[in-house]
Amino acid sequence: MNGTPPLTRRGLLGLGAGLALTPALAGCLPGDTPRDRADASRVVIGLSAAVTTLDPMNTTSVGTDLSVLSSVHSSLVTREPDLTIGPDAATSWRRVAPTRWRFHLHPRAAFADGTPLDADVVVWNVRRLLNADNALRMTPNFPSLIRAEKVDRRTVDLITSRPDADLLGALSFLYLLEPRWATRHKPATQAMGSGPYTITSYSPGGTIELRARDDYWGPAPAIRRVTFRITPSEAARVSGLLSGELDAVAGLDPQDLNRLRADRDLRIQRLDTTRMAFIKLNTLKGPMRDVRVRRAVNYAVDKRAITSSLLKNTVDPSPGQLMTPSYSGYTEGLTGYPHDPDRARALLREAGYGTGRPLRLELTVPSGQYVAGELVVQAVAQQLREIGVSVKINSVPFAVYMQKYLQQKAMPDMQYITQAWPTLAAGGLYGLFVSDSPYAYWHDEEFTGAVTRARGTDDRAERDTLYGRAARRARDQAPVLFLFPQPGLHATAEGLNWRARPDDWVRPAEMSWKGATR
């Protein structure tokens, strides 16, 4: 990355340095330091955004909602810290036919009220998932799943419409509810699961308290009590770590790296993530319907300047791809849009914008949700202004952002977002961009056709060829402003053992205190 020019265009370099920090969190009270919490088998985890629902089938937000809910519920299989698939409620599984997977359930798997987690439970959950009347956010992630069939009490088959190499990965974040409990309660605001923890305190948008189950059928978690504290401000998360009020925070801003490293009571982990950051463009209405405008904004933005100055060279710009190289089906050989303001202006003139008809765009960013998100959109807006494009930035709470995006179908011209897929397969992440996905805001027959055909073949070479076609089509049609992989910077209190993950999960059951007394 040597030779990158300093990001000084009209003061862009000062975006990070000039921000006012919020007041530091109050210092820890006597008896509530990380060491005290270690001795009491407690941990306090800072989350960047509120948990929006307790229904694990009605969210796909891994770093917040699902990180909490994965502690309360079980899935058939789980994604391990090394990104392999391991057992959870199912002890073993195999494909008994091209479109039939058989799962053998743990003989002692049970919910917190004592109800067994058996084949009937799995069948009911799959029916709930696939019932279109429920309009669950998780449903589009299972495009090939048809039904579940009970073989015996501890054996269940899942049947797909076609061979689906991505099914196991998708199942790793399908968490199971107890049927009778779910019909008598409100899963959006109440929880009773079969996982290692139970929720002892929850208020929508507020702190969440968990306690380890004494009767949990799986390995007992090392930490008995967990607090997920909602801390939307980056400055407050950093202050909480430095003061000892927070024990673990994932997804920190690289601008705080040196400050955190200077504190000997903190342990810093930096790793590449599986999440790609970009600005999604609403191609269904407004100026972004024109591919010339979409390409123009890609040429207008200097991604290298942003990654150098705002992200401290922790990542490289995207090579014009929707995913990172961690995914199977990733296409080699693509290149990103170079920084070319003159070409951007020419494309805008071709599209009819310029003197007398200025282009005005609206750009939304969820406050505190994504690493350096607010800084990045300011940088993007400033560079777009340099080619004559007026940009209005809206910073809104994540819950409001998601409501407009998915429920109201009211995405603006542009919005900052990062996306990943737990299966680490192209078919899953590309599924967020096919024409019938509520996440897409892009209807492209060529892209959708290539992805659909790729998902339906077991031939690895043919599948990769089709995904390559989809990748090149996305690069050409630019349904997003390609940016960079999200940096992975995580901090924990010294003595807290936690292997940070590249896939956003923050699970207290994977944590332990070194030398703690209980």
Side-chain angles (χ1 to χ4, degrees):
M1 301 183 201
N2 293 334
T4 299
L7 207 164
T8 57
R9 296 172 182 83
R10 305 200 181 183
L12 187 54
L13 183 60
L15 283 175
L19 290 183
L21 297 179
T22 59
L25 295 174
C28 292
L29 297 174
D32 195 26
T33 66
R35 186 69 261 162
D36 296 321
R37 289 193 291 272
D39 290 339
S41 194
R42 295 179 53 224
V43 69
V44 180
I45 301 169
L47 292 184
S48 62
V51 171
T52 58
T53 180
L54 295 185
D55 187 341
M57 291 190 197
N58 213 19
T59 178
T60 57
S61 298
V62 171
T64 52
D65 299 353
L66 289 175
S67 283
V68 173
L69 297 175
S70 66
S71 298
V72 178
H73 299 281
S74 301
S75 50
L76 286 172
V77 297
T78 190
R79 180 75 69 179
E80 303 287 0
D82 64 1
L83 303 185
T84 60
I85 296 294
D88 195 358
T91 58
S92 63
W93 52 89
R94 63 188 178 95
R95 185 149 59 176
V96 296
T99 59
R100 181 180 292 265
W101 285 83
R102 179 158 295 170
F103 295 84
H104 298 279
L105 303 177
H106 195 292
R108 293 189 294 107
F111 292 88
D113 67 352
T115 304
L117 195 167
D118 57 18
D120 290 325
V121 167
V122 177
V123 170
W124 181 89
N125 275 271
V126 171
R127 287 175 180 165
R128 179 178 190 255
L129 173 75
L130 299 181
N131 186 342
D133 292 339
N134 292 331
L136 297 168
R137 289 186 185 176
M138 193 64 72
T139 303
N141 302 335
F142 293 84
S144 72
L145 186 59
I146 297 175
R147 65 185 181 277
E149 293 180 357
K150 177 181 179 180
V151 178
D152 57 43
R153 187 178 177 218
R154 291 294 177 186
T155 310
V156 63
D157 285 356
L158 298 189
I159 294 88
T160 58
S161 59
R162 52 173 172 74
D164 189 347
D166 299 340
L167 180 64
L168 284 179
L171 290 172
S172 70
F173 61 116
L174 178 65
Y175 291 96
L176 306 171
L177 303 179
E178 201 287 306
R180 285 175 296 181
W181 178 92
T183 58
R184 299 169 184 169
H185 296 80
K186 296 180 179 179
T189 57
Q190 298 171 283
M192 193 281 293
S194 56
Y197 291 91
T198 59
I199 294 178
T200 58
S201 176
Y202 168 72
S203 60
T207 294
I208 302 172
E209 302 278 351
L210 308 181
R211 183 183 66 243
R213 286 176 54 189
D214 293 328
D215 60 347
Y216 179 53
W217 49 273
I223 294 177
R224 300 291 299 168
R225 289 189 293 161
V226 180
T227 299
F228 285 99
R229 183 165 298 165
I230 312 306
T231 317
S233 162
E234 168 77 12
R237 290 193 291 274
V238 171
S239 295
L241 286 164
L242 294 173
S243 68
E245 187 169 336
L246 299 177
D247 299 313
V249 175
L252 290 159
D253 192 322
Q255 295 203 49
D256 294 311
L257 182 57
N258 290 338
R259 185 181 176 198
L260 294 167
R261 279 177 171 166
D263 191 316
R264 294 184 178 180
D265 291 329
L266 294 176
R267 176 171 171 256
I268 311 301
Q269 299 183 63
R270 188 177 71 83
L271 66 162
D272 293 333
T273 74
T274 61
R275 181 169 291 274
M276 187 64 82
F278 41 78
I279 291 179
K280 182 161 284 191
L281 309 178
N282 188 344
T283 72
L284 303 184
K285 65 177 184 179
M288 294 302 170
R289 288 179 298 178
D290 192 325
V291 68
R292 294 171 295 187
V293 177
R294 303 199 298 269
R295 290 170 180 160
V297 299
N298 271 280
Y299 284 120
V301 174
D302 189 344
K303 297 88 171 175
R304 178 67 71 185
I306 292 174
T307 59
S308 173
S309 292
L310 298 184
L311 302 180
K312 307 304 180 186
N313 289 322
T314 54
V315 292
D316 287 320
S318 163
Q321 296 222 36
L322 299 171
M323 63 182 67
T324 71
S326 298
Y327 288 75
S328 62
Y330 179 82
T331 301
E332 300 286 351
L334 271 67
T335 58
Y337 283 78
H339 182 224
D340 192 339
D342 291 337
R343 191 169 183 183
R345 294 185 187 98
L347 284 166
L348 290 180
R349 286 195 297 270
E350 288 181 22
Y353 296 99
T355 304
R357 192 193 177 199
L359 177 58
R360 296 183 175 89
L361 300 173
E362 186 174 344
L363 169 57
T364 295
V365 57
S367 54
Q369 177 68 16
Y370 300 127
V371 175
E374 286 90 341
L375 292 179
V376 171
V377 298
Q378 289 177 52
V380 168
Q382 180 172 306
Q383 294 190 359
L384 290 177
R385 290 186 192 107
E386 292 179 4
I387 65 164
V389 177
S390 174
V391 180
K392 178 185 177 183
I393 297 176
N394 296 320
S395 180
V396 300
F398 185 61
V400 174
Y401 169 95
M402 292 300 291
Q403 184 177 35
K404 287 182 175 292
Y405 178 33
L406 294 179
Q407 296 176 5
Q408 299 177 7
K409 312 296 183 186
M411 186 184 125
D413 302 307
M414 306 187 293
Q415 70 175 23
Y416 188 82
I417 193 170
T418 74
Q419 288 184 316
W421 194 257
T423 66
L424 300 184
L429 195 139
Y430 282 161
L432 300 174
F433 291 88
V434 298
S435 296
D436 61 353
S437 170
Y439 296 87
Y441 285 81
W442 181 42
H443 293 170
D444 189 89
E445 291 183 5
E446 182 175 331
F447 177 89
T448 298
V451 172
T452 301
R453 291 193 296 276
R455 284 170 156 180
T457 180
D458 266 348
D459 187 294
R460 175 69 178 269
E462 180 183 356
R463 190 165 65 241
D464 287 350
T465 296
L466 289 165
Y467 284 142
R469 188 178 304 168
R472 288 186 289 273
R473 180 65 176 176
R475 198 276 183 194
D476 176 71
Q477 292 296 300
V480 303
L481 195 173
F482 297 98
L483 291 176
F484 41 76
Q486 178 170 280
L489 180 62
H490 314 294
T492 55
E494 181 62 35
L496 180 63
N497 298 314
W498 177 51
R499 178 182 177 183
R501 305 172 57 125
D503 59 353
D504 293 343
W505 292 100
V506 181
R507 291 173 169 161
E510 296 174 354
M511 299 178 179
S512 64
W513 285 106
K514 187 184 303 181
T517 59
R518 292 172 56 178

